[in-house]
Amino acid sequence: MNQLIGKTSGFILGLIAFTYVSVTSFSWAANGEELFTTHCATCHKVLESSTGPKMQGVRAKWEEGGALEGSLHEWVRDWSVAAAKDPYAASVATWSPTAMSKFGFLKDEEIEAIFDYADNYTAPVAAVAAGGGDAASGPMEEESNSWVWILIGIVFVGIILAVGGVRRQLKYATVENETGTAPAEESYGDEIRSWAFKNRKFVGIIVLVVVMSGLVYGYLALNTVGVYHNYQPSQPIEFPHDIHAGVNGIDCKYCHNSVERSRTAGIPTVNVCMNCHKGVKGKDDAQKEKIAKIYAAAGFDPEGPGSYTGETDPIVWNKVHVLPDHVYFNHKQHVLVGGLDCKQCHGDMTKEKTARVVPVEELSAIEGNIKLTRPTLTMGWCIECHGEKEISNGPVNTVGSGYYDEIHRRLMDNDKELYQKYLKDDKVTVKELGGWECAKCHY
């Protein structure tokens, strides 16, 4: 009997260890790919240099270059801090005139997962079209991971059945040894019901815990509806904001020229792009390829006499910051009247590539921004900002505004005590001017 228990226990432990190692390895690989795609793929490629250097072999290069221990992780989080401490990191900072984005929120294990993915990456074999021709160039379809969960389910079912079978055999063997008579075998259902009745208090507690856990999980899941951290859709042109707004110092309002006149910031027209790119045609093939799409959209022939052909191919941009239909938001009110900088909501675009929904942790870390805690683009985020934004001594333009003049007049005529209360601390917040009224954003 002891040998039976030992062999069964060894089998079960081995099965658990095999499952853990297999699933853990797969999870880390998948996590590394997801992290790379989310945070790195805009500037980096795995096997070749792009805006940033290629990712494969980076760890080995830092070790060979004599970088300080932990310098690479510090570089990923904030390259300027690493460059100030480590001579090798300072030399890497001169590799490109484009400053690397800062990812202070990434943990050590997440950074390692990214480099593990890059070091183990192999280029996929492209399918060749029938009859010859170039390899297909569309985005690779994501492989289904459902087989992993099926494998996990099969393994755990096997463990449960193995343990249950051994326990039943031991029980019957013990009874037969004590009484000398083989007992009648019970079905699994009868055995479970008998055990549950004998341990009904324990079972009741377990059921209560499961139900409460389900309710809590459901409540937390509902809080994530409509929250899109780091949402960054692909675009027909990977527009480098860091080059235009950062290196070249172009004001956001030059391209998004309706931000001070309309509720929407506006997508730049091709004519705005052509103001510069009629002469700026790109330094390398990657830039020329992007600018060629602008020429096609404008119907411009750069090789000809500088004329327009009249044949256009419009650029269809994908919207990044999407508010529900029942929400009213006015850029003019916030930018012109409220004096908010674009970076308060959109992040520091002098260091970004294509636009994304920047997490609130990154927004709050930007110098000059109001420190907020609620997820970006949620109602709590807006309400929190309206409660924190001070306007009496700030940039809000209340002079000559009929709206604010009317607010002051009504307070003076109808409720002087409330008016004095608002001015007691020598400041007024957006909340005190009605920024928490439902009808401001929903009507």
Side-chain angles (χ1 to χ4, degrees), residues 21 43 54 62 79 123 171 189 221 238-239 284 300 320 344 348 356 376 388:
V21 172
C43 301
K54 69 176 184 178
W62 279 67
W79 67 269
K171 175 184 174 182
E238 294 182 0
F239 181 84
D284 53 40
F300 180 74
V320 179
Q344 176 66 55
D348 188 355
R356 64 189 174 101
T376 309
E388 295 292 329

Side-chain angles (χ1 to χ4, degrees), residues 371-388:
K371 310 305 179 186
L372 305 175
T373 60
R374 301 289 184 166
T376 309
L377 290 185
T378 63
M379 179 176 172
W381 182 66
C382 298
I383 291 294
E384 188 178 18
C385 188
H386 283 187
E388 295 292 329

Side-chain angles (χ1 to χ4, degrees), residues 136-392:
S137 60
M140 295 180 60
E141 295 184 2
E142 295 184 3
E143 296 182 1
S144 174
N145 299 330
S146 59
W147 65 269
V148 177
W149 300 109
I150 294 174
L151 175 62
I152 294 173
I154 292 173
V155 169
F156 279 102
V157 169
I159 292 173
I160 292 171
L161 292 177
V163 173
V166 170
R167 188 194 60 78
R168 284 166 63 90
Q169 293 303 320
L170 290 174
K171 175 184 174 182
Y172 295 149
T174 301
V175 173
E176 184 176 0
N177 185 51
E178 292 176 351
T179 63
T181 305
E185 294 189 7
E186 293 181 312
S187 66
Y188 277 108
D190 292 337
E191 197 170 351
I192 292 173
R193 283 191 290 270
S194 176
W195 177 87
F197 181 78
K198 291 179 181 179
N199 302 276
R200 49 188 177 275
K201 291 184 179 179
F202 175 74
V203 172
I205 294 173
I206 293 298
V207 171
L208 179 62
V209 170
V210 170
V211 171
M212 294 302 296
S213 299
L215 292 175
V216 171
Y217 177 81
Y219 174 77
L220 294 176
L222 289 175
N223 281 336
T224 64
V225 174
V227 177
Y228 304 100
H229 288 298
N230 268 322
Y231 173 62
Q232 189 176 35
S234 61
Q235 300 292 355
I237 299 176
E238 294 182 0
F239 181 84
H241 284 84
D242 57 343
I243 300 297
H244 290 75
V247 176
N248 296 324
I250 299 175
D251 191 334
C252 301
K253 301 180 185 68
Y254 177 78
C255 299
H256 301 281
N257 48 50
S258 64
V259 70
E260 293 183 328
R261 299 179 287 104
S262 171
R263 60 175 295 186
T264 63
I267 297 175
T269 64
V270 176
N271 288 340
V272 172
C273 302
M274 289 296 294
N275 287 342
C276 296
H277 286 292
K278 195 171 183 179
V280 179
K281 300 182 179 180
K283 297 180 180 180
D284 53 40
D285 291 340
Q287 292 182 2
K288 290 177 180 178
E289 182 180 355
K290 295 176 183 178
I291 296 172
K293 295 180 181 180
I294 298 175
Y295 291 155
F300 180 74
D301 181 10
E303 303 299 333
S307 59
Y308 290 87
T309 63
E311 298 179 1
T312 61
D313 184 13
I315 301 172
V316 181
W317 299 99
N318 294 316
K319 191 170 178 61
V320 179
H321 299 85
V322 182
L323 291 176
D325 292 340
H326 63 275
V327 176
Y328 175 82
F329 178 83
N330 192 309
H331 276 83
K332 176 182 177 181
Q333 181 73 14
H334 289 78
V335 176
L336 185 63
V337 180
L340 284 180
D341 194 304
C342 303
K343 66 182 181 181
Q344 176 66 55
C345 303
H346 299 289
D348 188 355
M349 296 307 295
T350 64
K351 299 177 182 178
E352 294 277 347
K353 284 289 185 181
T354 55
R356 64 189 174 101
V357 178
V358 181
V360 67
E361 295 83 5
E362 293 183 48
L363 293 176
S364 295
I366 297 174
E367 184 178 356
N369 276 4
I370 300 170
K371 310 305 179 186
L372 305 175
T373 60
R374 301 289 184 166
T376 309
L377 290 185
T378 63
M379 179 176 172
W381 182 66
C382 298
I383 291 294
E384 188 178 18
C385 188
H386 283 187
E388 295 292 329
K389 176 65 175 173
E390 299 173 2
I391 66 171
S392 62

Side-chain angles (χ1 to χ4, degrees), residues 42-110:
T42 301
C43 301
H44 295 274
K45 295 182 179 179
V46 177
L47 300 178
E48 60 182 275
S49 296
S50 181
T51 303
K54 69 176 184 178
M55 292 288 286
Q56 194 166 89
V58 166
R59 285 184 296 197
K61 287 185 178 179
W62 279 67
E63 291 178 5
E64 294 170 1
L68 299 177
E69 184 177 356
S71 175
L72 180 56
H73 285 202
E74 194 165 30
W75 171 276
V76 174
R77 294 193 182 96
D78 190 336
W79 67 269
S80 59
V81 174
K85 297 179 180 178
D86 186 355
Y88 181 78
S91 67
V92 175
T94 63
W95 188 88
S96 171
T98 303
M100 177 175 167
S101 300
K102 299 175 182 179
F103 301 97
F105 52 88
L106 287 178
K107 301 176 182 177
D108 286 338
E109 55 267 26
E110 292 176 324

